[in-house]
Amino acid sequence: MKVLSLLVHDDWGVMQRIMGVFTRKRISVDTIIAGPCERQGCARVILASKHPSFPKMLEHVRRVHDVIEAEFIENNAEAFALLRGASGRRSVAGPAQEVDDAVEKEDGAAYVKAYAAL
Amino acid sequence: MRGSRVALEMLKEQGVRVVFGIPGGAVLPLYDDLYDVGLRHVLCRHEQGAAHMADGFARVLKRPGVCIATSGPGATNLITGVATAYMDSSPMVAITGQVATSVMGNDAFQEVDAFGLMMPVVKHNWRIESANEIPRVFREAFHVATHGRTAPVHIDFPVDAQRDEVDEAKIKQKFVPRKQTKRDLSNVLDAIKFIEEAEAPVVMVGGGARWSQAGTDILRLAEMIQAPVVTTLMGKGAVPEDHPLVLGPVGMHGKMVATYVLNNCDTIVALGTRFSDRSTGKLSEFGKQQRIVHVDIDSSEVGKNVSNVVGLVGDVYTVVHALIAGLENRALRKRTAWTERVAGLKKECACDFNLSGHPILPQKIVWELNRLLPDDAILTTEVGRNQMWAEHFFDVRQNRIFMTSGGLGTMGFGFPAAMGAKVAAPERFVIDLAGDGSFQMTMKELATARENGINVAVLVMNDNALGMVLQWQRMFYGERYSAVHFGPMPDFVKIAEAYGCEGVRVAKDGDLEDAIVRAQSAETPFVIDAMIDPKEDMLPIMPPGRSAKEIILGPRCIWKGGATVESPVPARP
Ligand SMILES: Cc1ncc(C[n+]2csc(CCOP(=O)(O)OP(=O)(O)O)c2C)c(N)n1
């Protein structure tokens, strides 16, 4: 799993532009986190993907006019997962591997998971 | 000042003097103000034509062309032209009206998500949310279109923002660009090493070199390192083709000598090309035995189609100068064996295409154009065999310009693009070398040309068919002709006359000269309907998905496979 961190202008259509890059190149993005950040008028978008061509996409994403910074973040990915199983709802957060393992153990529970890194 | 007026003032601030477009409900304020501001407006007959005209204009002046359409169908009609410009990196500012922000999203009359539709075919686009954004958006639009890799941009302009007042302060506010174009020349020493060590280098020139206007500089580099120059379809004309080192275009319908030399050299200095499959043939087999220096202004192009390159990111002009500076004080090896071999191969490829026949052979038409067009003529093409005859045989010497839709391959491009070119350079002779199929896509713009005194010529290679597709069906689909033959053709001479233009039919090649000469002094747009032999295939061809080794030469090609001149250069392992 590679994690790509983007700092973007929070303008109309920015997600559509970013995702358009991946759609066109037939690269599936596994998880997406987008949200406000410390810079006014900007946002951070964190994409994670296992696709073999994902690491080659840096320059393509940097080309998007709304993208201010783009970089891959190695080795410190965190994850968040929300699970709903027989025993109710719970969330797990922490290092990506730990969350992956926790989700793995929850057999059959509904869940959603996303990766982030800074 | 209201938004629409401010927008037009912004265009003027950017040096725009002419815009191409068609009005409609969502651009009424803009057109109302157009009445007063002293911008020339060319009223087209279809928005696609407006976009191609803006594109043709840009390709001559290297400045953005501007086109305007209304919302909904106006915007969708514009898209083909915008996409055509995008694929060939032509700068353009496309403006579409939009329904008022108050009803946006309601499927209001003539509402379409132009913002979303245009996104994949522009470098960037903006939807103006309030009138106060107009000065910044317009200034930014021109900046983005012209900085870094040139490209079309789009502004979606709601009608209420056109009507609303703009604060004076916003107009005066200084524009600060958001992004600086980056260069990366950190590999320049590696590039120089490759070039120095090369025994058989080739300079491969793409469209980027034309946008960067680096022809003279490229020739200087080529002379310095004694490398022949080949071009892609888009690079054709970046360097004058009468220079002894220039071998012509490579690729699917390129010159054998150019394709051969490109594939049998040991080092490629690629300048502003994306290594399109039409130039390289089967990508997995391209560049296997070569070292490649790849220069492009767009960092995402480096390594995209051909990997294992030494990449230099920057515009061709700047990078070529950096290379020249780096090589200048070095003792460069003499590459006499290589240059002699290439000169020999060039002779092997120099066929005589002054071919007579009845019906007319298409080669003959290009031969006549080479002879009769002035040295500053502009030749545009449509798409199909017409385009490939022009690519292969048209001689872009001196200041001539060759203009074609290379990336998108848009039939119907050539004629309106020729008109845009003529608006940009009214003193030059501009001619569209067309196919009968392509011309029918946009020939309605004859009305625009006549009305505005845009006296361009169109030479229709009339084979009563969609010739290129017909040829592929003949060659690759067992002669099963499907939907390629036209029925009774419209009479293009009468069509010309119906639009108040001059037209002439040419059935014998002896009459071509007279027609081409007449076209050059015509007082109206001029249509030459030349009846050509539909059986004459455009050859040689590198079949799609195949490599340079599998080129089909055809009966007329005199190329002997490069074997007549012995190679002094062992291929690099
Ligand atoms: C808008 C568009 N539609 C379809 C095509 C596919 N196409 C490529 S070449 C060609 C035939 C062109 O015929 P014509 O203009 O008569 O030129 P010729 O090949 O006969 O010179 C077609 C249909 C295209 N390139 N563009």
Side-chain angles (χ1 to χ4, degrees):
Chain A
M1 186 70 67
K2 287 278 264 183
V3 181
L4 176 63
S5 164
L6 311 175
L7 180 67
V8 304
H9 288 284
D10 190 7
D11 284 350
W12 291 107
V14 59
M15 286 309 285
Q16 196 173 336
R17 287 180 215 279
I18 295 166
M19 298 323 294
V21 173
F22 295 95
T23 309
R24 231 163 56 75
K25 308 254 175 202
R26 298 169 59 237
I27 293 171
S28 56
V29 173
D30 297 312
T31 85
I32 303 168
I33 285 184
C37 70
E38 71 285 357
R39 261 171 72 173
Q40 228 212 322
C42 297
R44 230 180 221 102
V45 178
I46 315 287
L47 307 177
S49 171
K50 288 201 265 311
H51 195 283
S53 298
F54 188 65
K56 292 194 206 136
M57 296 307 293
L58 198 56
E59 293 305 318
H60 297 271
V61 178
R62 284 185 174 154
R63 229 176 140 213
V64 175
H65 185 66
D66 278 335
V67 172
I68 306 162
E69 286 168 14
E71 56 183 347
F72 282 107
I73 299 187
E74 310 287 346
N75 303 330
N76 72 351
E78 302 253 327
F80 169 83
L82 191 59
L83 301 106
R84 194 186 59 218
S87 50
R89 260 192 321 176
R90 70 186 189 94
S91 62
V92 216
Q97 194 57 53
E98 285 174 22
V99 176
D100 284 347
D101 293 343
V103 171
E104 189 96 336
K105 266 190 261 148
E106 280 306 305
D107 247 0
Y111 74 91
V112 62
K113 176 172 79 167
Y115 299 87
L118 257 185
Chain B
M1 227 187 283
R2 69 173 174 179
S4 51
R5 179 67 189 248
V6 173
L8 296 175
E9 293 298 335
M10 289 299 122
L11 296 184
K12 282 168 68 179
E13 180 186 282
Q14 298 294 329
V16 175
R17 298 228 177 76
V18 53
V19 297
F20 304 89
I22 301 184
V27 281
L28 276 172
L30 210 56
Y31 273 80
D32 187 52
D33 282 326
L34 204 51
Y35 211 79
D36 300 322
V37 291
L39 276 172
R40 177 175 176 203
H41 179 267
V42 175
L43 172 61
C44 306
R45 291 300 182 272
H46 190 290
E47 288 82 356
Q48 182 190 349
H52 289 326
M53 285 178 216
D55 187 354
F57 177 92
R59 290 184 203 220
V60 172
L61 292 185
K62 318 285 185 228
R63 279 200 267 120
V66 178
C67 52
I68 305 177
T70 191
S71 66
T76 52
N77 275 353
L78 206 62
I79 289 177
T80 302
V82 175
T84 303
Y86 185 68
M87 290 296 278
D88 291 345
S89 306
S90 181
M92 174 192 289
V93 176
I95 301 165
T96 57
Q98 183 55 281
V99 301
T101 48
S102 55
V103 294
M104 212 184 272
N106 292 2
D107 293 332
F109 177 63
Q110 293 195 327
E111 177 176 5
V112 73
D113 179 13
F115 186 58
L117 282 169
M118 288 280 189
M119 228 174 242
V121 296
V122 294
K123 186 167 167 189
H124 193 68
N125 62 346
W126 296 261
R127 188 173 68 196
I128 291 179
E129 301 290 328
S130 80
N132 277 334
E133 291 178 10
I134 293 168
R136 178 188 60 81
V137 167
F138 273 75
R139 286 172 176 144
E140 193 176 4
F142 277 85
H143 186 269
V144 172
T146 52
H147 285 71
R149 185 174 182 171
T150 51
V153 295
H154 163 237
I155 300 170
D156 203 23
F157 199 178
V159 68
D160 51 336
Q162 296 174 40
R163 276 191 233 112
D164 291 347
E165 287 294 307
V166 180
D167 291 344
E168 203 58 32
K170 294 286 176 190
I171 303 173
K172 294 217 179 85
Q173 200 167 58
K174 212 172 150 310
F175 165 68
V176 189
R178 224 183 219 188
K179 244 184 176 168
Q180 297 299 338
T181 44
K182 284 199 210 88
R183 272 193 207 127
D184 181 0
L185 302 186
S186 53
N187 291 331
V188 76
L189 288 179
D190 286 341
I192 286 171
K193 177 167 165 282
F194 274 18
I195 294 171
E196 270 191 325
E197 288 175 4
E199 290 185 47
V202 167
V203 176
M204 179 183 182
V205 176
R210 290 176 64 181
W211 290 113
S212 185
Q213 298 178 281
T216 334
D217 317 273
I218 292 169
L219 285 180
R220 223 181 110 203
L221 176 69
E223 282 163 6
M224 207 167 154
I225 63 173
Q226 297 178 30
V229 181
V230 301
T231 67
T232 64
L233 174 62
M234 293 316 295
K236 185 178 170 76
V239 284
E241 292 185 309
D242 48 358
H243 189 282
L245 280 175
V246 177
L247 303 181
V250 296
M252 182 171 272
H253 288 291
K255 294 269 193 201
M256 288 310 300
V257 60
T259 304
Y260 181 85
V261 165
L262 179 65
N263 286 281
N264 290 277
C265 65
D266 67 358
T267 305
I268 299 173
V269 182
L271 306 172
T273 168
R274 64 166 165 259
F275 294 112
S276 144
D277 55 288
R278 284 289 186 268
S279 306
T280 60
K282 195 173 180 183
L283 266 168
S284 57
E285 280 176 37
F286 180 81
K288 278 263 156 64
Q289 59 169 40
Q290 283 90 0
R291 285 169 151 186
I292 300 177
V293 176
H294 190 183
V295 177
D296 207 288
I297 195 164
D298 180 348
S299 57
S300 74
E301 288 296 351
V302 177
K304 183 179 93 178
N305 288 344
V306 174
S307 43
N308 290 326
V309 299
V310 167
L312 299 173
V313 178
D315 65 286
V316 173
Y317 180 90
T318 309
V319 179
V320 164
H321 275 271
L323 290 174
I324 290 175
L327 289 160
E328 211 147 39
N329 300 319
R330 310 215 180 192
L332 290 173
R333 67 171 75 201
K334 286 259 173 294
R335 298 191 174 99
T336 332
W338 172 238
T339 42
E340 275 171 14
R341 170 150 203 252
V342 172
L345 291 170
K346 197 175 175 183
K347 282 201 202 102
E348 196 188 306
C349 192
C351 67
D352 177 14
F353 55 99
N354 180 15
L355 305 170
S356 289
H358 190 81
I360 301 169
L361 290 167
Q363 296 92 323
K364 173 75 170 186
I365 292 178
V366 186
W367 189 85
E368 289 287 6
L369 291 171
N370 281 346
R371 190 166 69 92
L372 298 168
L373 296 196
D375 285 338
D376 67 347
I378 299 173
L379 181 116
T380 70
T381 78
E382 299 293 345
V383 170
R385 292 201 286 198
N386 58 82
Q387 178 183 33
M388 297 301 128
W389 292 119
E391 175 192 25
H392 196 89
F393 287 122
F394 183 62
D395 193 9
V396 190
R397 57 167 192 251
Q398 304 219 9
N399 295 323
R400 284 181 180 174
I401 297 178
F402 171 78
M403 193 185 289
T404 197
S405 165
L408 200 65
T410 309
M411 289 169 71
F413 165 81
F415 178 47
M419 291 169 59
K422 183 76 179 175
V423 170
E427 71 295 346
R428 291 197 186 192
F429 179 61
V430 186
I431 183 165
D432 170 33
L433 185 62
D436 45 7
S438 300
F439 184 48
Q440 288 185 76
M441 292 215 172
T442 49
M443 66 185 179
K444 56 176 99 52
E445 301 298 347
L446 278 169
T448 313
R450 178 72 179 96
E451 192 168 275
N452 291 275
I454 305 170
N455 296 340
V456 298
V458 182
L459 195 163
V460 182
M461 288 180 158
N462 190 340
D463 56 5
N464 211 65
L466 294 167
M468 175 73 110
V469 184
L470 175 136
Q471 177 176 336
W472 284 39
Q473 290 181 351
R474 171 153 57 229
M475 296 182 73
F476 310 126
Y477 287 85
E479 297 184 54
R480 286 159 54 86
Y481 298 118
S482 175
V484 288
H485 292 294
F486 292 130
M489 248 317 166
D491 182 331
F492 291 119
V493 175
K494 281 195 187 142
I495 295 236
E497 286 164 358
Y499 280 106
C501 306
E502 259 187 275
V504 50
R505 176 155 307 110
V506 178
K508 294 202 298 278
D509 50 22
D511 296 337
L512 280 167
E513 172 168 0
D514 184 52
I516 295 168
V517 170
R518 265 181 67 196
Q520 292 180 51
S521 54
E523 303 278 313
T524 65
F526 197 93
V527 177
I528 303 170
D529 184 17
M531 315 307 289
I532 62 158
D533 187 351
K535 289 195 228 42
E536 184 66 18
D537 280 335
M538 173 59 231
L539 294 167
I541 183 173
M542 179 155 66
R546 304 290 180 77
S547 76
K549 292 200 188 89
E550 296 165 277
I551 293 178
I552 300 168
L553 293 179
R556 292 192 198 276
C557 186
I558 60 168
W559 179 251
K560 301 279 186 314
T564 51
V565 191
E566 211 181 317
S567 169
V569 185
R572 194 179 290 278

